[in-house]
mmCIF file of all heavy atoms in Angstrom:
data_model
loop_
_atom_site.group_PDB
_atom_site.id
_atom_site.type_symbol
_atom_site.label_atom_id
_atom_site.label_comp_id
_atom_site.label_asym_id
_atom_site.label_seq_id
_atom_site.Cartn_x
_atom_site.Cartn_y
_atom_site.Cartn_z
ATOM 1 N N ARG F 139 109.811 30.728 65.400
ATOM 2 C CA ARG F 139 108.810 31.793 65.432
ATOM 3 C C ARG F 139 107.414 31.196 65.358
ATOM 4 O O ARG F 139 106.523 31.572 66.103
ATOM 5 C CB ARG F 139 109.047 32.771 64.277
ATOM 6 C CG ARG F 139 108.080 33.934 64.205
ATOM 7 C CD ARG F 139 108.479 34.935 63.114
ATOM 8 N NE ARG F 139 107.481 35.971 62.989
ATOM 9 C CZ ARG F 139 106.421 35.898 62.168
ATOM 10 N NH1 ARG F 139 106.249 34.823 61.387
ATOM 11 N NH2 ARG F 139 105.528 36.869 62.128
ATOM 12 N N GLY F 264 138.474 37.246 52.269
ATOM 13 C CA GLY F 264 138.677 37.127 53.706
ATOM 14 C C GLY F 264 140.132 36.862 54.041
ATOM 15 O O GLY F 264 140.888 36.311 53.245
ATOM 16 N N LEU F 314 110.058 79.012 96.346
ATOM 17 C CA LEU F 314 108.621 79.022 96.064
ATOM 18 C C LEU F 314 107.763 78.745 97.286
ATOM 19 O O LEU F 314 106.555 78.999 97.254
ATOM 20 C CB LEU F 314 108.287 77.977 94.982
ATOM 21 C CG LEU F 314 108.902 78.201 93.597
ATOM 22 C CD1 LEU F 314 108.619 76.999 92.708
ATOM 23 C CD2 LEU F 314 108.358 79.472 92.957
ATOM 24 N N TRP F 364 111.253 59.895 73.613
ATOM 25 C CA TRP F 364 110.505 61.098 73.249
ATOM 26 C C TRP F 364 109.127 60.763 72.706
ATOM 27 O O TRP F 364 108.170 61.512 72.919
ATOM 28 C CB TRP F 364 111.302 61.916 72.234
ATOM 29 C CG TRP F 364 112.513 62.531 72.849
ATOM 30 C CD1 TRP F 364 113.808 62.169 72.677
ATOM 31 C CD2 TRP F 364 112.539 63.617 73.783
ATOM 32 N NE1 TRP F 364 114.646 62.951 73.445
ATOM 33 C CE2 TRP F 364 113.888 63.851 74.122
ATOM 34 C CE3 TRP F 364 111.552 64.409 74.368
ATOM 35 C CZ2 TRP F 364 114.268 64.846 75.009
ATOM 36 C CZ3 TRP F 364 111.935 65.402 75.257
ATOM 37 C CH2 TRP F 364 113.275 65.617 75.560
ATOM 38 N N ARG F 413 116.851 69.435 49.764
ATOM 39 C CA ARG F 413 118.149 69.365 50.441
ATOM 40 C C ARG F 413 118.091 68.466 51.681
ATOM 41 O O ARG F 413 119.102 67.888 52.079
ATOM 42 C CB ARG F 413 118.612 70.773 50.816
ATOM 43 C CG ARG F 413 118.920 71.639 49.610
ATOM 44 C CD ARG F 413 119.625 72.924 49.982
ATOM 45 N NE ARG F 413 118.741 73.901 50.577
ATOM 46 C CZ ARG F 413 117.995 74.757 49.889
ATOM 47 N NH1 ARG F 413 118.016 74.725 48.557
ATOM 48 N NH2 ARG F 413 117.226 75.642 50.495
ATOM 49 N N ASN F 470 87.284 71.666 51.970
ATOM 50 C CA ASN F 470 87.523 70.565 51.038
ATOM 51 C C ASN F 470 89.017 70.234 51.037
ATOM 52 O O ASN F 470 89.862 71.120 51.161
ATOM 53 C CB ASN F 470 87.073 70.929 49.624
ATOM 54 C CG ASN F 470 85.566 71.125 49.530
ATOM 55 O OD1 ASN F 470 84.799 70.227 49.861
ATOM 56 N ND2 ASN F 470 85.148 72.309 49.103
ATOM 57 N N VAL F 493 102.765 74.988 39.596
ATOM 58 C CA VAL F 493 102.225 75.069 40.957
ATOM 59 C C VAL F 493 101.132 76.120 41.010
ATOM 60 O O VAL F 493 100.056 75.906 41.592
ATOM 61 C CB VAL F 493 103.343 75.403 41.967
ATOM 62 C CG1 VAL F 493 102.758 75.667 43.352
ATOM 63 C CG2 VAL F 493 104.354 74.275 42.042
ATOM 64 N N TRP F 673 86.229 75.500 73.615
ATOM 65 C CA TRP F 673 87.621 75.778 73.995
ATOM 66 C C TRP F 673 88.026 77.183 73.531
ATOM 67 O O TRP F 673 88.675 77.927 74.267
ATOM 68 C CB TRP F 673 88.546 74.734 73.375
ATOM 69 C CG TRP F 673 89.991 75.080 73.529
ATOM 70 C CD1 TRP F 673 90.751 74.964 74.648
ATOM 71 C CD2 TRP F 673 90.844 75.634 72.526
ATOM 72 N NE1 TRP F 673 92.034 75.406 74.405
ATOM 73 C CE2 TRP F 673 92.111 75.819 73.115
ATOM 74 C CE3 TRP F 673 90.668 75.984 71.184
ATOM 75 C CZ2 TRP F 673 93.204 76.341 72.406
ATOM 76 C CZ3 TRP F 673 91.743 76.496 70.473
ATOM 77 C CH2 TRP F 673 92.980 76.669 71.084
ATOM 78 N N SER F 956 118.704 111.930 87.274
ATOM 79 C CA SER F 956 119.362 111.879 88.581
ATOM 80 C C SER F 956 118.316 112.090 89.659
ATOM 81 O O SER F 956 117.302 112.755 89.453
ATOM 82 C CB SER F 956 120.422 112.973 88.668
ATOM 83 O OG SER F 956 120.878 113.094 89.994
ATOM 84 N N SER F 1168 145.977 75.877 79.820
ATOM 85 C CA SER F 1168 145.604 77.293 79.695
ATOM 86 C C SER F 1168 144.129 77.442 79.389
ATOM 87 O O SER F 1168 143.475 78.375 79.859
ATOM 88 C CB SER F 1168 146.440 77.956 78.596
ATOM 89 O OG SER F 1168 147.820 77.880 78.898
ATOM 90 N N GLU F 1198 152.443 68.724 61.258
ATOM 91 C CA GLU F 1198 151.709 68.277 62.426
ATOM 92 C C GLU F 1198 150.382 69.008 62.611
ATOM 93 O O GLU F 1198 149.491 68.535 63.319
ATOM 94 C CB GLU F 1198 152.582 68.478 63.672
ATOM 95 C CG GLU F 1198 152.149 67.654 64.859
ATOM 96 C CD GLU F 1198 153.094 67.790 66.037
ATOM 97 O OE1 GLU F 1198 153.933 68.727 66.010
ATOM 98 O OE2 GLU F 1198 153.010 66.978 66.957
ATOM 99 N N PRO F 1211 133.537 68.372 71.797
ATOM 100 C CA PRO F 1211 132.334 67.843 72.468
ATOM 101 C C PRO F 1211 132.641 67.205 73.815
ATOM 102 O O PRO F 1211 131.825 67.250 74.735
ATOM 103 C CB PRO F 1211 131.800 66.807 71.460
ATOM 104 C CG PRO F 1211 132.946 66.491 70.563
ATOM 105 C CD PRO F 1211 133.780 67.728 70.490
#
Side-chain angles (χ1 to χ4, degrees):
R139 181 174 175 270
L314 296 173
W364 290 107
R413 294 191 285 275
N470 294 303
V493 173
W673 170 77
S956 169
S1168 300
E1198 199 175 14

